[in-house]
Amino acid sequence: MKKTAPNRSSSRLEKMKREMMKAVRTTPLFHSLSDEEWRDVVQYLHGHTYPEDAYLFFQGDPPDALYIIWKGRVKLVRHTSQGRDVVVTVLGPGQLIGEMAIFDGRPYSMSAIALEDTAVVTISRHDLMAIIQRHPAVSFHVILELNRRLRLCTELVRSLAVDRVEQRIARALLRLMDLGGTPAPEGEGIMIDIHLTRQDIAEMTGTTVETAIRVMSRFRKEGLIRNYKGRTILLDPERLEKIARGK
Amino acid sequence: MKKTAPNRSSSRLEKMKREMMKAVRTTPLFHSLSDEEWRDVVQYLHGHTYPEDAYLFFQGDPPDALYIIWKGRVKLVRHTSQGRDVVVTVLGPGQLIGEMAIFDGRPYSMSAIALEDTAVVTISRHDLMAIIQRHPAVSFHVILELNRRLRLCTELVRSLAVDRVEQRIARALLRLMDLGGTPAPEGEGIMIDIHLTRQDIAEMTGTTVETAIRVMSRFRKEGLIRNYKGRTILLDPERLEKIARGK
DNA sequence: CGTTTGCTTGATACGTATCAAAGTTGGTGG
DNA sequence: CCACCAACTTTGATACGTATCAAGCAAACG
């Protein structure tokens, strides 16, 4: 596996960059900054793009930068010594990657992999530290974001500890719907517009491919979900919600 | 179960309070403050004590304050709708409780229960918000603390997803040793000086009492641990370490 | 003391992992 | 356009870990 070099096509680069910055400006982390503060911050931002399946960074790398997703979706994967991986979360536009490693300076505890063509804005570790000292509003939103993540993580712990696979998968599908849901292109239901293999689902829910498949087949037979060109369509979110909460 | 009222015995209260404040001053959250800054902060701090088994707050309560442990140990328990609980973590002196709820304003996502007689310092939600705005050094340490917690939580997720009960219990014992370990009073080994039932261990590792007991009995028969007046003594931490990492 | 609370052990059932093999899909190059 | 390959999906048989249920025991407690 090779780290894919950021792809900087030079034509129209400036225009794209301005557009990107404008989008980042509206991100929770920065939206409460005054114009003046923003002018201070913006000089430290850099844009990068990655193709599908590219690694933004590897577990174990020293932390170099904070990533803010602009376009695309990214999964965070924790590799284990015995080969089995855990997909800790899937993130989308506006969300942060790499904060953990940035703040405590320890190596990235997971790898970040683009699930589709992805564009990000980065801030180097050094610059971010400086920005935080100067702008309490940014600190504050960092706190809120870490907090949100901690809450989600705690919920995941509970789910792994007490729920059965069926419930965990239902839960995962609903979370993915929130993140990447669009109305299904034909018929009713909501499509999860993210390229995910059954392996990914299994790794998100702490189970094996085979079990994930068996559970999803059962869901399909019961009319809860449908497959469409490699994507999953949720036909009955209410019912899934019930299953997620243990019937 | 009733929320136990803070116990304010009035004699020597002032002396104890000063002592408490001095201890809190050295806590990661505040130790980098200048004397002047500290003088600003200290006026917002309040002391409380709780007897063993008392609830500091309940899951679902609206968040009123941040707690900083001064003395004693506290477990954070997530109650589930089907009666099974999950002990998310055990915290000791210097550590924070309730940050999550404080920052996003949503109800406490777990209950905090004193494992022994415990003294804490609290800051009301409102005051903490003000302090954070005024003192970037405090913000920064809040970020570091949230970050540490997130890392631990992520590790717990991995462990629940891929490790077997035996490994999870070994891991839990080692973590508890770091938190509440003292040299064993007789013979060698390190004693976990915290009152924990097998039920607690089970809830920390996402299993049932019976299974927790079976695993720990096996550990005992293999000379890895020993029981001493309701406490657990680790006789062979190296071996436990190996088991935690999957032999 | 009896009663509660926590600990322990055994028998059994169930969920899920594991191993094996075959079917399906999408992409690639001839 | 088709054949082929690799990656992914699916199904089945079996084994294993852990939950569940039941019961007895010990220590702490009012």
Side-chain angles (χ1 to χ4, degrees), chain B residues 12-232:
Chain B
R12 280 184 285 166
L13 188 136
E14 274 311 312
K15 173 154 177 274
M16 183 173 120
K17 189 165 175 180
R18 275 200 311 279
E19 199 184 317
M20 195 189 271
M21 292 311 168
K22 219 172 77 188
V24 171
R25 166 79 143 122
T26 67
T27 255
L29 202 59
F30 298 125
H31 83 267
S32 63
L33 292 183
S34 68
D35 287 348
E36 186 187 1
E37 287 179 304
W38 173 245
R39 243 174 284 127
D40 173 40
V41 168
V42 77
Q43 61 185 313
Y44 299 110
L45 306 181
H46 306 277
H48 295 298
T49 64
Y50 300 87
E52 185 174 342
D53 289 332
Y55 278 69
L56 281 65
F57 53 77
F58 287 93
Q59 175 173 333
D61 284 355
D64 57 344
L66 176 75
Y67 296 70
I68 304 166
I69 305 178
W70 173 40
K71 281 188 171 161
R73 236 114 5 181
V74 175
K75 67 176 174 182
L76 295 184
V77 179
R78 177 110 224 231
H79 305 293
T80 73
S81 47
Q82 302 106 317
R84 252 180 83 179
D85 293 348
V86 180
V87 174
V88 176
T89 188
V90 174
L91 299 171
Q95 296 188 291
L96 309 182
I97 316 178
E99 348 72 48
M100 257 167 54
I102 288 298
F103 290 120
D104 60 18
R106 293 165 61 190
Y108 290 116
S109 57
M110 358 190 199
S111 299
I113 306 167
L115 283 169
E116 50 202 8
D117 290 354
T118 295
V120 303
V121 169
T122 65
I123 310 176
S124 79
R125 177 157 194 249
H126 174 267
D127 294 342
L128 181 65
M129 291 302 195
I131 287 173
I132 279 184
Q133 298 295 339
R134 277 206 296 281
H135 304 288
V138 175
S139 285
F140 185 65
H141 286 283
V142 167
I143 288 172
L144 292 185
E145 174 62 15
L146 284 172
N147 209 52
R148 201 183 59 82
R149 290 281 259 281
L150 189 53
R151 207 176 262 275
L152 291 175
C153 195
T154 306
E155 169 54 22
L156 187 54
V157 165
R158 191 208 54 76
S159 183
L160 285 168
V162 315
D163 294 346
R164 286 186 277 134
V165 172
E166 190 183 52
Q167 301 177 52
R168 304 207 298 266
I169 289 184
R171 208 175 284 275
L173 291 175
L174 291 167
R175 265 200 300 127
L176 291 167
M177 180 183 80
D178 290 339
L179 186 72
T182 57
E186 47 179 59
E188 9 73 278
I190 296 169
M191 183 169 74
I192 296 172
D193 199 8
I194 306 176
H195 179 73
L196 287 172
T197 65
R198 307 288 153 148
Q199 182 71 43
D200 288 320
I201 302 280
E203 287 171 5
M204 289 184 69
T205 52
T207 183
T208 57
V209 208
E210 296 95 326
T211 300
I213 284 170
R214 277 185 246 268
V215 170
M216 292 184 71
S217 294
R218 201 161 63 234
F219 284 173
R220 182 158 40 77
K221 279 169 200 149
E222 290 171 5
L224 299 173
I225 65 176
R226 192 159 60 83
N227 294 344
Y228 175 80
K229 296 189 180 170
R231 310 275 137 122
T232 299

Side-chain angles (χ1 to χ4, degrees), chain A residues 154-188:
Chain A
T154 305
E155 169 53 23
L156 187 54
V157 165
R158 191 209 54 77
S159 182
L160 285 168
V162 315
D163 294 345
R164 286 188 277 135
V165 172
E166 190 183 53
Q167 301 177 52
R168 302 206 299 265
I169 289 183
R171 207 175 284 275
L173 290 175
L174 291 167
R175 266 199 299 129
L176 291 167
M177 179 182 80
D178 290 339
L179 186 72
T182 56
E186 48 179 56
E188 11 73 275

